[in-house]
Amino acid sequence: MDWGMKNRFSRIIRPNDGRCVMLAVDHGYFLGPTERLEVPYKTIKPLLPFADSIMLTRGILRTSVNPSTDVPIVLRVSGGTSIIGEDLSKETITTSIQEAIKLNVSCLALSIFVGSKYEHQTLVNLANLVDSGEKYGIPILAVTAVGKDMVRDARYLALACRIAAELGAHVVKTYYCENFETVVEGCPVPIIIAGGKKLEKEIDALELTFKAIQDGAAGVDMGRNIWQSDFPVAMIKAVKSIVHENYSVKEAYELFNKEKKKEHKNPALTR
Ligand code: R5P
C-alpha cells in the first residue's frame, strides 16, 4: 500500500485497535426515504460526533453533512436500481473517482451480488473500482449484498467475502451468521458487519455486535439498529463501547440505559 492508501485506510480501520464503527446512512440509494432517515441531516447530525466514519451517497453528503466535518467519508458509488425496479443486482458504478476525490472521501463502497442474475456485472464493477482506487490511493469497501430469497449462511457469506477480497477489496462488509468465524478465517482483509433490519430490542443488536467482534469482525457498518432506535445516540455509544472498549453485552446495555436518560426521543421522529 502506498502512503495515501495507508493514510485513508487508517481513517476507516483505526490503527490503535484495528476496529471501526461506521455509521450507514446510504439506504435511500435504492429504498428512497427509509423510516427515520426521511430527512437525512436530522438523523445524521446528532450521531456524527460518535461515528468513526459515515457511509453515504454523494447526494446526501452534499446536502446533509457539513463540509467542515472531520469524520471520514465512505462514499457509496454503486447503484442504479430501486426496490421497485427490475432486479436489485443490476448495479453499476454511479459516481466517478474524480468526483470522489473532489469530495475528499476516505473510502469507496460498492455492492456485489454473488449468486444473482447480475453477479458478473457487479464483480467486474468491483474489480474496476479497485483499479481506480489503487491508482489514487483510495481503499475500497465491498458490500456483500444478499437478495431477499438468499440464505445468509456461513457457506454463502464466506464465498462472497472471499471473492470480494480476491478481487482486491480492502475491507468487506457482510452479515453476521452462525459459524461466522469461518467467514472471517477465509477472508484475508478486515470484515465489518451490517446490522440488518431493526431488531426488536436494542439489547439484541448489542448482542449481535458483541458476537461478531468475538468471532473476529473488525467492527460494524450499522444503520437501522442505530437510527431506528428511539434513542439513537445512546445506541451508537453502546455499540461503540463493545467495538472499541470491549464492553460485554450487559455493560453496553447498562451504558445504553444510562445514556438514553440524557437523550430526547429520536429527533427524526418529530420532524
Ligand atoms: C444496504 O443497503 C446498505 O449498504 C447499508 O449500509 C447496510 O445494509 C448497513 O445498514 P444496516 O445496518 O441498516 O443493515
Side-chain angles (χ1 to χ4, degrees), residues 24 26-27 29-30 55 76 173 175 194-196 221-224:
D26 61 323
H27 303 61
Y29 93 94
F30 74 99
M55 180 199 189
R76 167 172 283 282
K173 176 172 95 168
Y175 292 92
D221 178 15
M222 193 175 272
R224 290 163 288 181

Side-chain angles (χ1 to χ4, degrees), residues 232-246:
V233 173
M235 192 55 189
I236 196 170
K237 286 183 176 174
V239 168
K240 213 170 171 183
S241 74
I242 294 173
V243 174
H244 286 304
E245 292 164 59
N246 295 314

Side-chain angles (χ1 to χ4, degrees), residues 199-210:
L199 298 167
E200 201 186 324
K201 300 185 201 119
E202 275 78 4
I203 196 165
D204 299 335
L206 296 176
E207 202 167 329
L208 174 80
T209 305
F210 181 80

Side-chain angles (χ1 to χ4, degrees), residues 19 58 72 125 161:
R19 302 252 172 99
R58 64 171 153 183
N125 290 342
C161 291

